Amino acid sequence: MAIRFFLTFFLLFISLNLSSALYEDQVGLMDWHHKYVGKVKQAVFHTQKAGRKRVIVSTEENVIASLDLRRGEIFWRHVLGSNDVIDAIDITLGKYVITLSSEGSVVRAWNLPDGQMIWESFLQGSTPSKSFLSIPVNLKIDKDNVIIVFGQGCLYAISSIDGEALWRKPFSSESLEIQKVFQPHDSDIIYAVGFVGSVKFVAYQINAKSGEVIKENDATFPGGFSGDLAYVSSDTLVALDSTRSILVSVTLRDGEISLHQTHVSDLVEGFFGISSILPSKHTNMLAVKSGSVTVFIRVTGGGKLEVLEKVSHPSAVSDSLAILEDQQAFALVQLGDTKVHLTVKFDNDWSSDLIKESIEIDRQRGLVQKVFINSYIRTDKSHGFRALIVMEDHSLLLLQQGEIVWSREDGLASIIDTSTSELPFEKEGVSVAKVEHNLFEWLKGHVLKLKGTLMLASPDDVVAIQGMRLKNSEKTKMTRDHNGFRKLLIVLTRAGKLYALHTGDGRVVWSLLLPSLRRSEACGSPSGLNLYQWQVPHHHAMDENPSVLVVGRCGLGSDAPGVLSFVDSYTGKELSSLSLTHSIAQVIPLAFTDSTEQRLHLLIDDGNQAYLYPRTPEAIDIFEKERPNMYWYSIDDKKNIIRGYALQHNCIGGSDSYCFDTKEVWSIIFPTESEKIIASATRKSNEVIHTQAKVVADHDVMYKYISKNLLFIATVAPKAAGEVGSVTPEESWLVVYLIDSITGRILHRVTHHGSQGPVHAVFSENWVVYHYFNLRAHRYEMSVIEIYDQSRADNKDVWKLILGKHNLTAPVSSYSRPEVVVKSQSYFFTHSLKTMAATSTAKGITSKQLLIGTIGDQVLALDKRFVDPRRSLNPTQAEKEEGILPLTDALPIIPQSYISHSIQVEGLRRIITVPAKLESTSLVFAYGVDLFFTRIAPSRTYDSLTEDFSYALLLLTIIGLVAAIFVTWVLSEKKDLRDKWR
């Protein structure tokens, strides 16, 4: 009895730590979530004495956010979406944030403290035009502050209290684009100025209360205007002509317009290029950028211009900031070798500097692109200034009193591609075992863990448990672990910067602003394209570092010359770079490596010529042996054509032995009047498949059709290529194809009538799952197609397999017509999707899960068994044993299946899965505006214990059991002896 009691107690005690649920104190142990806002394009400070000091920003990722000025943390934010571009922001009434978006058609007011939307107003208009937002300081109508908005070819006065349009003045008939709206001091008249075409300048005097046009004037400038315009005073504007070499001063006095032109070459000695007016706002002054020189020009009486200063270093200029009633200051930021030089000056006094500071800065941040300033009162009653600067790598910094107060790596909100790299091996002599400091700490830690498991922990205890687990988890070490959880995520951002993120906590290990992807005289519009693994040394070559290949383009068009950069994955150092003479339309990583473990790549240019890299004799020798078996394809969704190509001999002329001509071997032309390509998908080139055979009910065997050459294509009716609901079910259809990309043979085709896109698809093993909208049912659907190889059907005889009389090892050719059978099924699905992926594991043994990025920016894991095409209403007993679920018309959404828990990965764009060394586990990285990382076990962790398993407690349990057995054995012996004496 005693033995049974001890066994029951200790087994129950051990099992408490084996629960698979996620407790409160485990959050952050296996996952992390980092929030960003993106590259800031506008900023408005709010630093009143009452309330928190904050800055409101809008970004190129269409995010509006409120940031804490003390630490740079996010108070609140809203991601408006890719189709709702933010045009302008401002603050009114001291408590509302006003945003203008969607090309001037949507105005919103947000509550400043908490970000709640107060009102939303949709402006009617049909003429696309430039948009702007203006909040005049002294303009009120019936005690209501007025917001002036121009968009969709109309000028509006909007109430700041409820968003109601007080009046509307259309200008679409005149084809007028308003450039500026300003209000003279203590006047109910506003001036609206703009251009009709590029030659005619027009000025309107409008009654601010009624919207009635009081007076209209125009002037014609024969040279034409470029559209660049600066408002420098209440009656003077300066514009740039169409050649961008002449500055035109426009003076409005007594309703009359006078023009005065000045050649930029007369102001800037040696000027022979084109100029642009910087969008900064100043009083009686403007900044003109010409090449690498920024010229500050003062506007004097009569519209005459004079040069104040020329700045040759890369610089950025802020808007003017009102300090006193008659004084305004602005900031000039220049970048030196390793320092940022911040100068604050008065608009009307160039000779004196209010502030002149130099701050050390990381060179990997690049140039300063924008600066916003704000003032505060120091203890000695003097004015101090803080500067918010946006760097070339899209990072955000706050400068104050000669220091960087805080910085944000907001370039990570614009990731365009990712890769992974293993960490280095641990050096010999360094132990990875956990070290307990003393017995008291050891006991305290286990008591806290026990309280947390029994849900008796206080909030302070939960914090202590979480900190203890994070400290002892070893997940942030810079060496490999035996489970393969610790890796480097190498990401490429839109700014042309590489980051290495540690999978343990998401910290930046190193970053590199690629010199080859920075703007220069030789490359005016660089852009990054893709990221590939270039060199992955064998695990015996411990002294070699892996490296990645960054592919870019020097220009906007597809025919622009390419750029290659090779970067060390451990140090972030650029090993070398190449400026190519040919373009890059497609990159094909090959399955071959040379003796140095460099992977061979084919680069296809816009003329369909192929170039081999690395350019070494060894690479050519390896490539020539396999060249007859190399094929590739291209998808031209604009022309509705898919083409397949084969490699031929060297390029005509023979001057480049690493260049190869290609020939078209097949093509599929979809009729433009009935179909339009909208989506494609293919298998991962590095996907591991454990077995080709699939054992089904009644111990039958089906063989998967495994081919890396299978291509999934989705087309829709041309009318159905728009948004959901833009067409009727009768005039829309969705057609999907499975195509062999070697021969162009269509293996399977299915039509979904009354359906349309967008289509999201994932291809894995021998199945493809795709998501679309069913117009007839008014619901989203998810369909699955599985393809099986019938030519292997004769291998079901066990004796043939034993005796080797099977054809499993027979060579397979894409040119032989495959005997395939296809199974498919469709299900209703509740959510709209943003992206979709499938889990991947090291050996391909673990069952698959679909990872679905929902419209709510969360990641949902859906077991592949739910989209099995063999599901039926009444599965047989054998099918139930196989794991086939009963058929339902809709796929279930289980709340516990959200691997992102309650976290929203704002602006979610893509989900990446990476296999760990542990077969049961797959690593998941989701990115958009935010970054989220976790690891999941689709079949649970059947091959390992949990990370927080207490080995010390297990040892104590074993010792306790042994002691209990020994004690009970002694007591039993004594009892038997007493019984015998009786």
Side-chain angles (χ1 to χ4, degrees), residues 674-691:
S674 61
E675 295 184 57
K676 177 177 175 55
I677 300 174
I678 62 168
S680 65
T682 187
R683 273 184 54 202
K684 286 184 178 180
S685 60
N686 59 350
E687 184 182 20
V688 178
I689 298 175
H690 177 63
T691 178

Side-chain angles (χ1 to χ4, degrees), residues 764-875:
S764 179
E765 294 190 353
N766 68 319
W767 53 264
V768 60
V769 175
Y770 53 99
H771 177 275
Y772 54 94
F773 189 78
N774 187 326
L775 289 167
R776 297 184 188 277
H778 303 287
R779 299 172 72 178
Y780 286 97
E781 278 189 5
M782 193 175 285
S783 295
V784 58
I785 298 175
E786 291 187 359
I787 183 168
Y788 293 92
D789 190 352
Q790 283 294 93
S791 64
R792 311 289 185 179
D794 295 335
N795 298 319
K796 298 177 182 178
D797 192 336
V798 176
W799 289 109
K800 286 186 178 182
L801 296 173
I802 294 174
L803 298 175
K805 296 181 179 180
H806 57 77
N807 62 351
L808 291 178
T809 58
V812 177
S813 173
S814 290
Y815 284 99
S816 60
R817 181 175 292 276
E819 300 177 29
V820 297
V821 60
V822 173
K823 296 182 179 296
S824 61
Q825 186 65 270
S826 296
Y827 305 90
F828 290 123
F829 191 67
T830 306
H831 291 295
S832 173
L833 304 188
K834 285 189 171 182
T835 185
M836 190 160 51
T839 56
S840 56
T841 54
K843 304 296 182 182
I845 301 173
T846 306
S847 59
K848 295 279 187 178
Q849 280 188 339
L850 296 176
L851 300 179
I852 299 169
T854 68
I855 195 67
D857 290 326
Q858 290 186 303
V859 182
L860 173 69
L862 181 68
D863 197 311
K864 170 61 175 62
R865 293 184 302 163
F866 286 113
V867 287
D868 192 326
R870 297 172 56 238
R871 289 177 64 183
S872 59
L873 289 173
N874 297 304

Side-chain angles (χ1 to χ4, degrees), residues 147 172 210 290 326 331 345 370 510 525 630 644 764 868 924:
I147 302 167
S172 56
S210 64
S290 176
D326 57 344
K345 296 176 177 288
K370 290 186 179 180
W510 56 258
S525 301
M630 289 187 184
S764 179
D868 192 326
V924 180

